[in-house]
Amino acid sequence: MRFSLAHTMTTATAFCVLRICAFVTFLVQLAYSSLMMVGMTTVLTLDFICHMGSTTRFHAQEVIWEIGNFTLTGRDPFDPYYTGSVSESRAADTKIVSVASMMQHLSLERFCPFSENLGQQLFIFWLSSIVSLVPWYQVVPS
């Protein structure tokens, strides 16, 4: 049979497999874009806090420290009524990206010196990731 490869690639089974591969790829890109958006929002919020001044950074670090200690030990040392529930805080945490473990080790004192042009750098990263999804076709003149 002449052009057997072309015949094989245009069968209904091949098109079904390609459609399934395209759908799975779409789902992976959708999940990755959501994770990237959450990460960028978190980093830009921390960048905003870093540029608000030392008092704001100090209070934000206290909140981060409280969340980190509560999720690590299960009790708040400054709450005399013990109103926090460690089971509720662990149920609200995600398994893929653990907010509790990020809060336990986050230090604004170490993060803020590196956040000078972070907004522009994240915008360039986001724009380059969007541009990488655009198919680039080379037009060959005939």
Side-chain angles (χ1 to χ4, degrees):
M1 176 178 212
R2 192 170 179 202
F3 303 116
S4 64
L5 180 63
H7 178 70
T8 305
M9 293 302 294
T10 57
T11 62
T13 305
F15 284 134
C16 182
V17 168
L18 289 175
R19 185 176 181 181
I20 290 170
C21 289
F23 184 69
V24 169
T25 304
F26 171 73
L27 290 179
V28 169
Q29 287 177 348
L30 189 65
Y32 177 71
S33 66
S34 298
L35 285 174
M36 193 169 100
M37 186 60 74
V38 168
M40 286 179 59
T41 304
T42 304
V43 169
L44 286 175
T45 302
L46 290 174
D47 180 46
F48 180 72
I49 290 171
C50 286
H51 289 95
M52 292 300 291
S54 61
T55 306
T56 305
R57 271 187 274 168
F58 177 75
H59 289 300
Q61 185 63 52
E62 280 186 333
V63 170
I64 291 169
W65 182 80
E66 284 290 323
I67 293 170
N69 279 344
F70 182 77
T71 56
L72 182 65
T73 62
R75 60 185 286 280
D76 185 3
F78 300 110
D79 184 12
Y81 303 108
Y82 298 111
T83 57
S85 171
V86 72
S87 60
E88 287 180 12
S89 71
R90 288 193 179 141
D93 200 15
T94 60
K95 302 292 182 196
I96 298 170
V97 179
S98 176
V99 177
S101 66
M102 280 193 298
M103 290 295 193
Q104 291 165 7
H105 304 290
L106 181 62
S107 171
L108 290 178
E109 186 177 318
R110 288 186 283 175
F111 176 80
C112 287
F114 300 108
S115 69
E116 183 143 342
N117 294 327
L118 196 59
Q120 294 172 345
Q121 293 169 356
L122 278 176
F123 177 72
I124 290 170
F125 175 75
W126 176 75
L127 192 63
S128 63
S129 66
I130 294 297
V131 168
S132 71
L133 295 176
V134 175
W136 296 98
Y137 297 108
Q138 182 178 8
V139 178
V140 179
S142 53

